[in-house]
Amino acid sequence: MDLVSLLPHAAGYSSPTHASPVANTTIASNTPNSGSSPSPSNSTTPTTPSRYENQKRRDWNTFCQYLRNHRPPLSLPMCSGAHVLEFLRYLDQFGKTKVHNQTCPFFGLPNPPAPCPCPLRQAWGSLDALIGRLRAAFEEHGGRPEANPFGARAVRIFLREVRDFQAKARGVSYEKKRKRPKHKVTVTPPPPDSGPIG
């Protein structure tokens, strides 16, 4: 299940199709025509958007809806890294990953033997992927890369802290696995022929 598919309904939002005019105009221009039958002059079939593109569009619409429902409402140019952090903390209420508190007896255990009252949160991997999609969507909707709030230093630090804390709380290591060096296969030439022995 994707990260924010239930978000608009759970938060009492209207459908994400009523996203900001900026989002709708750009999405409409990037979405291929989905006519029922191709025209005879054009034999190429329309390509359907990938799962990634569909998810990115839904995430963008959800974020734009969040900005409109913000008190006071925010426009995209006014959005900063601090607002992105608010959004990520807001999403925690829809999380499904158990993150143990430091006072919990199961803190640091990957497979706790019993239930506990620790909260459910968004998993670090989901948040990291979400920020990647929103960062790309921001620039696709005309935002300048240097003004991208999803690439702000505060957001990167927040994601690193979430990753490190969740790793400790759940006893999971997020260290990258080192690639094993490829063994070079060396072909040794056959020994020179010394001629017949005799």
Side-chain angles (χ1 to χ4, degrees):
M1 175 176 283
D2 55 55
L3 178 66
V4 290
S5 61
L6 299 176
L7 185 82
H9 306 293
Y13 287 154
S14 60
S15 168
T17 55
H18 304 298
S20 70
V22 174
N24 282 339
T25 55
T26 309
I27 288 169
S29 64
N30 289 341
T31 306
N33 224 353
S34 57
S36 58
S37 62
S39 62
S41 61
N42 187 1
S43 61
T44 59
T45 57
T47 58
T48 57
S50 68
R51 183 177 172 191
Y52 170 81
E53 291 298 327
N54 285 332
Q55 183 64 53
K56 184 168 58 173
R57 187 185 70 244
R58 285 194 299 268
D59 293 340
W60 181 252
N61 288 341
T62 301
F63 182 73
C64 290
Q65 188 71 46
Y66 174 80
L67 292 182
R68 283 195 300 278
N69 288 344
H70 193 275
R71 294 291 173 259
L74 284 168
S75 66
L76 195 58
M78 294 171 50
C79 182
S80 69
H83 298 115
V84 173
L85 293 180
E86 279 180 24
F87 178 63
L88 294 179
R89 290 185 184 109
Y90 163 78
L91 289 178
D92 261 343
Q93 65 185 304
F94 306 105
K96 294 179 180 163
T97 299
K98 177 77 76 171
V99 180
H100 301 290
N101 294 319
Q102 288 181 322
T103 55
C104 178
F106 304 139
F107 184 83
L109 295 179
N111 298 309
C116 68
C118 292
L120 295 175
R121 301 270 188 234
Q122 291 290 350
W124 163 76
S126 297
L127 293 177
D128 189 52
L130 171 70
I131 288 298
R133 290 189 297 267
L134 289 174
R135 188 174 182 174
F138 177 84
E139 294 177 18
E140 287 172 10
H141 287 83
R144 298 190 324 273
E146 62 273 13
N148 194 329
F150 303 101
R153 184 171 183 269
V155 175
R156 292 195 308 270
I157 291 171
F158 175 80
L159 288 174
R160 193 179 314 131
E161 288 173 352
V162 168
R163 181 195 66 184
D164 293 345
F165 183 78
Q166 288 190 7
K168 288 176 188 170
R170 298 171 56 223
V172 176
S173 172
Y174 284 116
E175 294 300 318
K176 288 184 178 177
K177 292 181 180 176
R178 291 183 180 176
K179 290 183 179 178
R180 291 182 180 176
K182 292 182 180 177
H183 296 293
K184 291 184 179 179
V185 178
T186 55
V187 178
T188 55
D193 191 12
S194 57
I197 299 175

